[in-house]
Amino acid sequence: MTRITYLNGQYIAHENAMVHVEDRGFQLADGVYEVIAFHNGRFLDGGPHLDRLEYSLRELEIAMPLPRAELEAVTRELLIRNDRRDGNLYLQVTRGVAPRVHSFPKNPVPPTLIMYLTEPVWPTEAEIKNGVSVITLADQRWARPDIKSISLLPNVLAKEKAIRANAKEAVFIAPDGATVREGSSTNAFMVDANGALVTHPANGAILSGITRNVVLALARKEGITIEERAFTLADISTAREFFLTGTTTRVLPIVSMDGKSVCGGKAGPVAARLYTLYMAHIAAQTGDA
Ligand code: PDD
């Protein structure tokens, strides 16, 4: 079956989905994106993802390419046309095609809207059960990681370094050399020595992850103490647990950092419980078993 991609109002064969050389996304990384999981033919947390898309666009003064209801209709149509029930939707909006200048185009142009479906690569059972390794790196991103910008060069280099170090993720450390911000495509949590669940506040220095926010809500319902505050590398050395969250990562324990074992080298019960609750959240929303 032909893979169908949506590009600026048209459903076309994926291999023919091309943008212009002067698309501002291509030349200047002048655009934003979202990755939304779907299960059983239904989107997971689609509302919050589209809220964040609208936020990112607003912050960059890029017009919403379609009214939200029409945009949602396209997302559903893509599942039908591709006959897919499980996967991820990649959605990207750029400022459009215009002669290359750094400033916004003088004459407004329509934004470029791209949507297509990708194969999910969920963490393996072994990774969820036994945990994964991370490396730490200085956060070299721009000062607005709260915007889900397609300008991902520091994230690209960080993930490649992680992979070359046989690690799953690179965790960004703030310029103070100590504060743990987030992963290159994930948010970071720890369970401190008192059992509190701690994660960096969504104060502009990280992406306000949709999975992060769902996991916080699930933990709150469980009666787990939550502290949205900065935590450091030193805190991890005394933490009970350390883990990642994200659309493609779900809830993933970390057992090694920069080649040294952390949290006793074992995945902990809080991450396991939150993973179970997160999978139940998927099932409740999408009917996925
Ligand atoms: N990444 N932090 C960063 C820097 C991210 O890029 C992402 C998502 C997250 C997790 O956010 P969410 O729970 O909303 O997926 C945190 C996507 C999946 C990506 O770039 O592919």
Side-chain angles (χ1 to χ4, degrees), residues 23-72:
D23 189 281
R24 291 179 62 93
F26 177 61
Q27 290 193 329
L28 302 160
D30 188 0
V32 304
Y33 76 106
E34 282 294 329
V35 178
I36 312 174
F38 59 96
H39 300 275
N40 196 27
R42 295 198 191 115
F43 288 100
L44 181 69
D45 300 312
H49 277 282
L50 294 186
D51 289 345
R52 187 173 64 188
L53 174 72
E54 291 196 63
Y55 171 77
S56 298
L57 290 170
R58 221 170 25 244
E59 290 299 300
L60 299 181
E61 296 179 43
I62 298 174
M64 182 76 166
L66 289 177
R68 182 143 159 174
E70 280 178 43
L71 200 138
E72 282 169 356

Side-chain angles (χ1 to χ4, degrees), residues 204-218:
I206 60 160
L207 183 78
S208 180
I210 307 303
T211 319
R212 169 192 185 276
N213 300 338
V214 168
V215 164
L216 282 175
L218 293 170

Side-chain angles (χ1 to χ4, degrees), residues 33 35 52 148 182-187 207 209-211 246-247:
Y33 76 106
V35 178
R52 187 173 64 188
K148 203 159 172 53
E182 62 180 329
S184 71
S185 64
T186 52
N187 289 112
L207 183 78
I210 307 303
T211 319
T247 296

